Each structure stands twice: as structure tokens, then as C-alpha cells.
Amino acid sequence: MTAVDSTKTLCPYCGVGCGLEVLPSPQFDQAGSGQELSGQSWKVRGDRAHPSSQGMVCVKGATVAEALNRDRLLYPMIRDSLNDKFRRASWDQALELITARIQTVRSTQGSDGVCMYGSGQLQTEDYYIAQKLLKGCLGTNNFDSNSRLCMSSTVAGYVQSLGSDGPPCCYEDLELTDCVFLIGTNAAECHPISFNRLQKHHKKNPHVKMVVVDPRRTKTAEDADLHLAIHPGTDIDLLNGIAHLLLRWDCVDADFIANHTEGFSEFQEVIQHYSPDVVAERCGISMSDLETAARWWAESNRVLSLWSMGVSQSSEGTAKVRAIINLHLMTGQIGKVGAGPFSLTGQPNAMGGREAGGLCNLLPGYRHVKFLEQRAEVEQFWGVPAGQISSNWGRTAWDIITGLETDEVGLLWIVATNPAVSLPDLERVKAALWRSPFTIQQDAYYPTETAKFAHVLLPAAQWGEKTGTMTNSERTVTLCQAFCLPPGEARPDWEIIAEVGCRLGFADKFPFISSAEVFAEYVQLTQGRVCDMSGLSHDRLRQEGPLQWPCPKEESGIKVAENLAPIPDQSLPKAAKPAKRLYTDHQFSSADGRARFSADHSRGLAEPPDAAYPFVLTTGRLYGHWHTQTRTGRIEKIRRMHPNPFLEIHPRDAAKIGVEDHSIIEVRSRRGVARFPAKVTTAIAPGTVFVPIHWGELWADQAEANAMTHERSCPDSKQPELKACAVQLTPIAIELPQADYTLFTKTLETSSVSSTL
Ligand SMILES: Nc1nc2c(c(=O)[nH]1)N[C@H]1C(S)=C(S)[C@@H](COP(=O)(O)OP(=O)(O)OC[C@H]3O[C@@H](n4cnc5c(=O)[nH]c(N)nc54)[C@H](O)[C@@H]3O)O[C@H]1N2
Ligand SMILES: Nc1nc2c(c(=O)[nH]1)N[C@H]1C(S)=C(S)[C@@H](COP(=O)(O)OP(=O)(O)OC[C@H]3O[C@@H](n4cnc5c(=O)[nH]c(N)nc54)[C@H](O)[C@@H]3O)O[C@H]1N2
Ligand code: SF4
Ligand SMILES: [Mo]
């Protein structure tokens, strides 16, 4: 690469999936600290040719390269016990140790003693190799990912209502809709570039209505024509209440219901019970606001709904997703321009992970482990014995923790996630991780909170240092190209996992010498499926730029690798056709082509507030920070933007417990405790308090959101209710000068791994 060349890639943060162009830049910190960096530095700008983002980026994408050279894990490190110090090891030593441990666990406990916990931040190729090793070669479905905490209710909702996973809409719909419902999503901060497109359309077209459903008045809600600040956990009441009114006013699409759906009468029976007075009372909103929302839905030609964690991180997450889809089905608002149920995916490759089968109940190509013929297709393709893939779900993220508690998990391999911050009920999680007989953490950075619990650290190449693909929320697949070498001895995730596969005796299953070859094999397993991308290859994506699936092989004329057995034709469902939107012919993915209404009553929160724990704690994100701060905490501009954790509390509640702005509040649930400076604001409803999720123990003293949360989850998706738990609040008598929270925040000493370990 010459000095002026730029490389096209994708932003590695959120599921908007913005295209980036990266160029070499002078060796100085772009954040303006004037600090000289230890390695090469890079200038990042939006890729104008990327169809999803059209050249736009937010602060995270713009600054991402600044974290490339900070606190990287450079070499494999091992230790015998968690009380020991790490010592540097060669790759050969580390991988031999891992291979031997896997063999021991298999012979003493069976393959189900081995677990891998991955992440929506892996590339599709990494995901695919991990599925092949765990589910195919070892014969255990114990691969789960942090998408369990993120997207699994949405997956279950789409599958149950529409017959398959797969968001049916595209970003163009944001600019073509007449009415948008944003439910449990703070898109202005969490999906800023998608929100930007929507906001421009909304501002330009006065007839366009924007409704935001969120217990907080977020940045997103500030732009809304109607903000429904419902009590946490009352979404189903609200959605069924809107359905009730649509039916009462006869604003339903009877032909669509008759020709393309099942289950309307059961649904009708349920929504009878959601009259406006009952719903307004339960949700804590006015009847007239409820009616306005329903009227806008009824009167708009094109209605789009967008949702994310306020919907899915719930003990009734799947039912919430389905309640949204019900509204689209009863009004025929699906499979057409500017309309449809559109989940905003969280992580950059949460979509690719689902496509590659990266949850413990899935297999590549949107297949499910419970179906014999789907398992057989994958077994045959992989050339493993019939019956090798189990029909049972493997361990979910939380089941891994309980498996450590009961000694059923003998080896845990954590890849690209930081569970010592992000899982619920952290005290219990940390105790379980502490007793793990053998934990591997494969990560790009050191230290992380999880490293404390690892016996082996494997240095991973990250964004910019490896080439692979990711799929964004609108089903666009982008080739994320490497533009620099990994630091130290770091290696791409797929390569590390494949090498362990070879050492375990499965060398014939991992013949790949590049991620392009991995992708070429993987896409064959998507052929004929809803997520058909058999027409894609790294070369085509490099030449033509990002492409949306479905993208079947016939359309492209690209030849895929021929050394693998083709999937027998009779097992193929109706072939997917290239399309911007799914279901435009109203033929859904179920066996009879019909979508299904759900008929769920609201069940409310798993842990409602009571006399002892009278407040609902909800948790979420801030614009600049990314999750557990492994990158953004190391970027000066972002640290300045969000200097410290805080707790949002309504003035009425603040007065009740006797705190003022900036006073310190102790927050206690039945499981744990943390403390935060108060931010007294009417942006939060009385009775509810909010804390950000970004401060693990490395970045602040006792400000972990998940110290308080619980693990109870949706029965269908097993997604935990990270958005609500019951807490008590107590003022603590420490007076801090305004904005001086050094008591809370910690500054990491930026240092190379060799000196920190
Ligand atoms: N800046 C930034 N952007 C990100 C991320 C990040 O870390 N930082 N992470 C990415 C990832 S992985 C994800 S999953 C997405 C998450 O994106 P979002 O889901 O938009 O983000 P959250 O802040 O977790 O939660 C959204 C909202 O849910 C609301 N909420 C809480 N309880 C309820 C309820 O019962 N009903 C309703 N209707 N709403 C409720 C909260 O008040 C909050 O405003 O963001 C992605 N983008
Ligand atoms: N209370 C509460 N808890 C939550 C949530 C919430 O809203 N509320 N949200 C949940 C959700 S939706 C999510 S997605 C999770 C996110 O939680 P985590 O996945 O734990 O958070 P991250 O900080 O994104 O961790 C990603 C890790 O991967 C590493 N990494 C980055 N790139 C690579 C790579 O290419 N290879 C490897 N091997 N490592 C890499 C990073 O250094 C980092 O350590 O948190 C969940 N937890
Ligand atoms: S919106 Fe998301 S994908 Fe786009 S630049 Fe920001 S963080 Fe990256
Ligand atoms: Mo997420």
C-alpha cells in the first residue's frame, strides 16, 4: 500500500454498519493530546460509496483507530492458577495446553464439558469456524454468544411470527415511511447514523409522525411528535392496547389477515382485554396519548417500527417482539416500501453471527438444532457422522455460569466479549468464573475485567488487522479489509480456533489458508435459505462493494469451491431471490407461507418493585462509549465526553430520599450494590432510575450496573431481563465538589502488555 492509498472497511462498533475509509496519518494522536503514539496511526473517514451510511460516521467510528495501539495483548500468556502471575508462552505452548485440556475434558466429562462464549463482534468467518469445531467436530452445541443478551428475543420473535429470522426492511424505509414507532430504542445515541437518516426525513416532511416508547426522555424521544413514557415492562399492554383500538375502529386489513396469516381469532380474544382505560392506567400514560398513537398507526399509509434492547432484554422479550409484529400483520404493514417490523441490531456482526448459527440453538444458514433434516444437511456438508450434531440446545450464556457452579463445565473459552462486566448478577458470575477449572480469554486488549479469571490469554487480531465479512441491520454484507498488521503475535480469531481444530485431529475439516476460503465454504450452507448469500465472495465484495442478501449464486455467476458435497436439492426450501426487502410477495417463511399472530397477555417485570426495593432500575448506553470501554475508555475525546458514571433520578424521587444533583446514592438490589453521583432530571419517570452500563471495575469504583441486575429470562429466547430490576436507594454522606468524581473513575496506566503483566 502506498502512502496515499485508502482501505475500505466497516466500522466495528454498532449494527448500523457504516462504511469507513482508512488512510495512514502522521504519528500523532488525533484526539489532540499531542502525544506521540507508539505505532503507526490512521485517519478514518466515512465511505461515501457505502450504501448504508453514505459517508456519515459518528464519534465512535471517527475515533476508532485511536485505540488500535493502546494496551494491546501482544503474546499468548498462561498461568497455572488464578492466584499466579501470567507468564509469556509461545503459540505452540498455549495451543498445545488448550488442546490437551479439551481432550481431558472430553474423556472425563464428554464434549458437553467444553463451552465457547463468543460475540457479535466476531467476523462471520470466525463464527463459522467456531460452529464447525464445536458443533460439528466436537459434537457439542455449547457455543453461545453475547447475542443471547442482545438479539435472541428478536430471533425467536421473527422465527415464531414470520417462519424465519431476518429483518424484512432496509434503511431506505427510514426515508420512505409516513409513521415510525421507535420502541425501547435510543437510536439517536445507539444507532446514530440510521437515526440521522430518519431525522432528516422527519424534519423535511411534516406529515411524517414519530412516536417514541421509552420510560426515559432520551435524545431520541426529544425528536418525537409523541413520547409515550410507559412504565418499564408494560410494552405488551401498550401494543395490545393499540391493537384493541385498531380493531374497534375497524382499521384492519381483512384481506391480508385472511390470505396471509393464522391465529387472528386467538389474538382478537386476547386484545379484547386491553381497553384504553386499562392500558393507560397500567402504562402510566394518558388515554388521549394512547389514542393518538393508535390513530397515527391507523391513518398512515406506511408504518415502520424500530426496536432494540428496551424490547428484547425482557423476561417476555419474544412476546414483545411478536406483539409489535402483530400490529404489522393486522394492518398489512409489512413487505412494502417504508413499512415493516425492523429490529435494529446492536453489534456490528450480530446479524452475521445469527446467519452462521452462532447461538447454542442454531446452525449455519438460519437452521435450528431441533430439526433432524436441518442437522442432517449440515452434518453431510461438513462430512461428520450422521447424528453427530445434538438435537438439544447447548448451554446459553447463563447456563455456562450455572454449569461452572455445578462443575459440569470443565473448560470455558471466551472470545471477544467481557462477561465479567456484561452478564447479569455479577457477583454470582465472578464467583462462578473464579471456580472455573480452565478459562481461555481470546481478546485484543489487556487488561480487561475478564482477564482476571483467565488461565490462558490469547492475543486476537482485531478490526483493521484481519479481513472478513460482517452483516449489518439491513442485511448488507461488507468486506472488512485489513489495512495493517496485527501487533506482537496477535492472530485472527478464525485462525486460532481452526488451529486448535487441527491439533485435535480434525485437520481435514480446516484446510483453509485464508478467510476468503472460509467464506467460500460457508456461503454454500446458506444456499436456498432465507439468508442466501451463496452469490457472495470476498472477491465480489471487494470489486462491487457491500451487497445485501438474499444474494443467491445464480445471480452472480460466481463459482464457489467445488470440493464439498452439495446439499441435496429435495431439502431446499423455496429459493431466496435478491431483494431489498423480504416478503414483498407476502409469502412468509413458514411451511404454509403464512405469518402467525401471537396471543400473549402482558406478564410485566420478573422482579417488580415492592416495599423493600421500591424503585425500578433500568440500564443502557451513552452516545460515545462502547460497552465495557475496552476501546472507548482508551480514547481521550470520548473519556472527556462521558467522564463518569451517574444515576438518573426524577426530582420527586430525589426529594423523597433526600438527595440533590451530584449527591452520592447507593443502589442496592437483592444481589448487589453500587454507588453513583445523582443526576436529578425530569427525563426519567418517577419510580424508575437509570444507570449506564459502561463502567466495569477497571474504570470505576463500584459503579457496575450488573452488580444489581438478575438473570431471569424470556422462556422462549433465554434472553435475560437486563433492563429492569428492583432496587432501594440510600444517600451516602460524601459531598463532592461538582463534577469531581475521581473517587469513582479510574485512569488506566497506558502500558504495553509486557509491563502490565
Ligand atoms: N453508543 C453506543 N451505541 C451502541 C452500543 C454502545 O455500547 N454504545 N451498543 C450497541 C449494542 S450491542 C446494542 S444491543 C444497541 C442497544 O441500543 P438501544 O436498545 O437503543 O440501547 P439501550 O440504551 O440499551 O436501551 C434502549 C432504551 O430502552 C429503554 N427501556 C428500558 N426499559 C424499557 C421498557 O420496558 N420498555 C421500553 N419500551 N423501553 C425500555 C431504556 O430507557 C433505553 O433508553 O446499541 C448498539 N449501539
Ligand atoms: N445491564 C445490562 N447489561 C448488558 C446490556 C444492557 O443493556 N444492560 N447489554 C448487553 C448487550 S446487548 C451486549 S451486546 C453486551 C456487550 O457486552 P460485551 O460483549 O462483554 O462488551 P464489549 O466491551 O463489547 O466486549 C467485547 C470484547 O471483545 C474484544 N474484541 C474486540 N474486537 C475483537 C476481535 O476482533 N477479536 C477478539 N477476540 N476480541 C475482540 C474487546 O477488546 C472486548 O474485550 O452487554 C450486555 N450486557
Ligand atoms: S453509527 Fe455505528 S457503525 Fe456508524 S460510525 Fe457510529 S458506531 Fe460506527
Ligand atoms: Mo447488544
Side-chain angles (χ1 to χ4, degrees):
M1 194 167 78
T2 67
V4 290
D5 276 347
S6 73
T7 306
K8 291 203 173 194
T9 180
L10 186 78
C11 173
Y13 289 118
C14 87
V16 173
C18 298
L20 301 182
E21 277 188 88
V22 184
L23 303 110
S25 97
Q27 308 241 129
F28 288 94
D29 183 351
Q30 298 295 301
S33 69
Q35 234 178 30
E36 203 166 335
L37 298 174
S38 49
Q40 171 72 58
S41 75
W42 305 92
K43 187 175 155 48
V44 173
R45 63 180 183 217
D47 173 7
R48 285 171 181 276
H50 197 288
S52 303
S53 53
Q54 304 161 352
M56 293 180 277
V57 282
C58 77
V59 69
K60 295 182 290 303
T63 54
V64 57
E66 289 170 36
L68 273 176
N69 296 324
R70 313 244 163 101
D71 293 340
R72 293 297 302 272
L73 177 62
L74 300 175
Y75 314 105
M77 309 294 286
I78 57 181
R79 59 180 167 184
D80 302 323
S81 101
L82 299 186
N83 296 313
D84 297 336
K85 276 192 176 328
F86 282 109
R87 57 184 189 275
R88 187 172 162 181
S90 66
W91 271 108
D92 187 52
Q93 285 167 323
L95 297 185
E96 251 334 278
L97 176 64
I98 292 168
T99 308
R101 289 297 291 229
I102 292 178
Q103 294 294 32
T104 307
V105 172
R106 288 179 83 201
S107 58
T108 53
Q109 296 176 262
S111 284
D112 286 337
V114 177
C115 293
M116 188 180 277
Y117 182 46
S119 154
Q121 292 163 72
L122 291 170
Q123 295 178 335
T124 300
E125 294 77 0
D126 304 322
Y127 258 116
Y128 176 67
I129 290 294
Q131 305 319 302
K132 197 172 184 185
L133 176 62
L134 275 279
K135 294 172 183 171
C137 300
L138 299 182
T140 174
N141 289 334
N142 287 345
F143 178 101
D144 211 40
S145 88
N146 60 4
S147 286
R148 182 67 61 197
L149 315 176
C150 183
M151 301 310 306
S152 56
S153 297
T154 293
V155 174
Y158 277 138
V159 170
Q160 292 177 14
S161 291
L162 306 180
S164 169
D165 189 13
C169 309
C170 61
Y171 292 156
E172 220 179 67
D173 293 326
L174 300 168
E175 289 150 351
L176 294 167
T177 188
D178 299 313
C179 176
V180 58
F181 274 68
L182 295 117
I183 308 171
T185 180
N186 182 9
E189 293 196 71
C190 296
H191 296 96
I193 301 306
S194 304
F195 187 73
N196 214 313
R197 290 179 68 169
L198 178 66
Q199 197 180 30
K200 279 190 202 148
H201 171 64
H202 181 227
K203 288 215 167 105
K204 216 166 60 194
N205 298 286
H207 81 280
V208 174
K209 298 290 188 286
M210 189 191 284
V211 180
V212 170
V213 182
D214 194 308
R216 297 164 59 217
R217 192 179 68 239
T218 56
K219 290 232 161 56
T220 312
E222 282 169 14
D223 267 40
D225 301 302
L226 178 65
H227 173 210
L228 300 173
I230 60 168
H231 294 316
T234 58
D235 298 80
I236 295 184
D237 296 295
L238 175 76
L239 296 160
N240 284 354
I242 294 175
H244 178 103
L245 286 172
L246 294 175
L247 192 64
R248 188 191 278 182
W249 300 334
D250 198 20
C251 292
V252 297
D253 185 338
D255 287 345
F256 185 93
I257 295 170
N259 296 329
H260 305 298
T261 70
E262 290 287 336
F264 187 66
S265 53
E266 293 87 340
F267 172 59
Q268 217 173 341
E269 205 290 309
V270 164
I271 60 177
Q272 266 181 37
H273 304 277
Y274 293 80
S275 57
D277 51 330
V278 171
V279 169
E281 178 15 75
R282 283 196 203 151
C283 297
I285 57 172
S286 72
M287 279 219 277
S288 76
D289 280 355
L290 170 65
E291 285 177 5
T292 304
R295 193 155 37 79
W296 287 349
W297 190 299
E299 289 172 357
S300 303
N301 287 328
R302 300 160 170 186
V303 187
L304 186 67
S305 54
L306 306 173
W307 73 87
S308 47
M309 295 308 112
V311 168
S312 59
Q313 285 174 343
S314 157
S315 56
E316 48 182 1
T318 306
K320 281 194 192 182
V321 170
R322 298 197 67 188
I324 296 173
I325 298 176
N326 283 341
L327 291 177
H328 288 274
L329 296 178
M330 77 189 290
T331 52
Q333 292 284 359
I334 186 167
K336 63 179 198 182
V337 167
F342 193 4
S343 60
L344 297 177
T345 52
Q347 296 175 91
N349 200 32
M351 288 282 290
R354 282 143 68 175
E355 293 149 16
L359 286 168
C360 68
N361 49 325
L362 303 180
L363 291 170
Y366 278 171
R367 291 177 175 84
H368 199 286
V369 297
K370 73 180 171 195
F371 297 118
L372 175 67
E373 72 278 15
Q374 297 190 1
R375 292 197 304 279
E377 284 165 7
V378 178
E379 285 163 354
Q380 195 182 337
F381 183 80
W382 280 344
V384 298
Q388 171 83 350
I389 301 176
S390 164
S391 59
N392 297 326
W393 283 48
R395 285 184 183 276
T396 63
W398 188 257
D399 294 340
I400 294 174
I401 298 303
T402 57
L404 289 170
E405 290 173 340
T406 55
D407 298 330
E408 287 163 280
V409 171
L411 183 144
L412 171 57
W413 189 345
I414 298 166
V415 187
T417 178
N418 195 2
V421 186
S422 53
L423 284 176
D425 197 352
L426 271 185
E427 207 171 304
R428 198 168 152 195
V429 167
K430 289 180 189 175
L433 289 172
W434 191 256
R435 55 179 288 142
S436 170
F438 194 76
T439 299
I440 305 151
Q441 192 201 13
Q442 185 167 312
D443 205 284
Y445 289 89
Y446 181 92
T448 68
E449 288 82 351
T450 301
K452 201 162 121 183
F453 302 95
H455 299 88
V456 177
L457 298 176
L458 297 179
Q462 61 154 329
W463 173 80
E465 300 157 359
K466 60 178 185 178
T467 294
T469 56
M470 290 196 172
T471 310
N472 72 9
S473 291
E474 63 162 350
R475 295 174 280 106
T476 295
V477 182
T478 302
L479 184 66
C480 315
Q481 303 192 80
F483 53 83
C484 61
L485 293 172
E489 295 179 1
R491 295 174 66 182
D493 293 288
W494 74 265
E495 245 184 67
I496 301 169
I497 302 166
E499 185 168 340
V500 171
C502 294
R503 286 171 184 250
L504 283 165
F506 306 105
D508 61 321
K509 304 288 181 254
F510 301 98
F512 314 103
I513 55 161
S514 69
S515 61
E517 287 187 6
V518 177
F519 191 70
E521 176 177 307
Y522 158 66
V523 295
Q524 295 177 68
L525 266 175
T526 66
Q527 195 175 355
R529 307 291 303 169
V530 170
C531 59
D532 193 333
M533 53 186 92
S534 55
L536 296 181
S537 67
H538 279 204
D539 275 348
R540 185 172 178 200
L541 291 167
R542 193 174 288 113
Q543 282 156 23
E544 294 180 33
L547 291 166
Q548 235 181 345
W549 64 252
C551 183
K553 186 176 164 188
E554 300 78 49
E555 303 299 318
S556 69
I558 296 274
K559 280 187 94 180
V560 286
E562 279 162 357
N563 57 338
L564 290 148
I567 303 171
D569 269 356
Q570 67 274 15
S571 68
L572 295 181
K574 194 168 53 74
K577 297 191 188 70
K580 273 191 178 174
R581 296 174 185 84
L582 305 181
Y583 311 127
T584 45
D585 57 0
H586 298 156
Q587 289 302 298
F588 294 95
S589 300
S590 57
D592 59 8
R594 285 169 175 267
R596 284 180 169 54
F597 282 97
S598 64
D600 293 307
H601 281 290
S602 163
R603 293 192 307 268
L605 298 177
E607 187 183 68
D610 57 20
Y613 296 90
F615 292 91
V616 178
L617 170 73
T618 190
T619 62
R621 294 161 166 78
L622 307 177
Y623 171 61
H625 270 310
W626 179 259
H627 296 161
T628 73
Q629 301 199 36
T630 45
R631 287 193 188 102
T632 53
R634 295 178 166 103
I635 297 173
E636 193 49 38
K637 182 173 182 183
I638 292 177
R639 284 180 69 91
R640 281 204 305 266
M641 188 180 268
H642 305 294
N644 52 266
F646 56 84
L647 175 133
E648 283 183 2
I649 181 167
H650 191 274
R652 212 186 302 160
D653 292 332
K656 217 188 307 175
I657 64 162
V659 293
E660 292 173 358
D661 219 16
H662 305 296
S663 323
I664 309 303
I665 300 186
E666 186 182 87
V667 185
R668 186 176 289 277
S669 77
R670 289 181 176 82
R671 294 153 295 277
V673 61
R675 52 194 188 146
F676 302 88
K679 183 172 171 185
V680 179
T681 168
T682 54
I684 186 116
T688 302
V689 292
F690 166 85
V691 300
I693 61 171
H694 305 295
W695 279 267
E697 65 178 28
L698 215 52
W699 301 99
D701 197 13
Q702 276 197 291
E704 296 162 302
N706 283 322
M708 280 81 66
T709 53
H710 63 72
E711 94 296 350
R712 267 160 284 167
S713 62
C714 168
D716 289 0
S717 67
K718 311 288 180 205
Q719 178 159 356
E721 188 154 275
L722 291 161
K723 279 285 172 272
C725 66
V727 294
Q728 47 183 243
L729 305 176
T730 319
I732 355 183
I734 316 174
E735 281 306 321
L736 291 175
Q738 185 163 335
D740 178 8
Y741 298 112
T742 41
L743 175 70
F744 289 88
T745 46
K746 298 178 182 170
T747 309
L748 279 193
E749 277 180 31
T750 313
S751 47
S752 78
V753 69
S754 37
S755 58
T756 18
L757 284 167

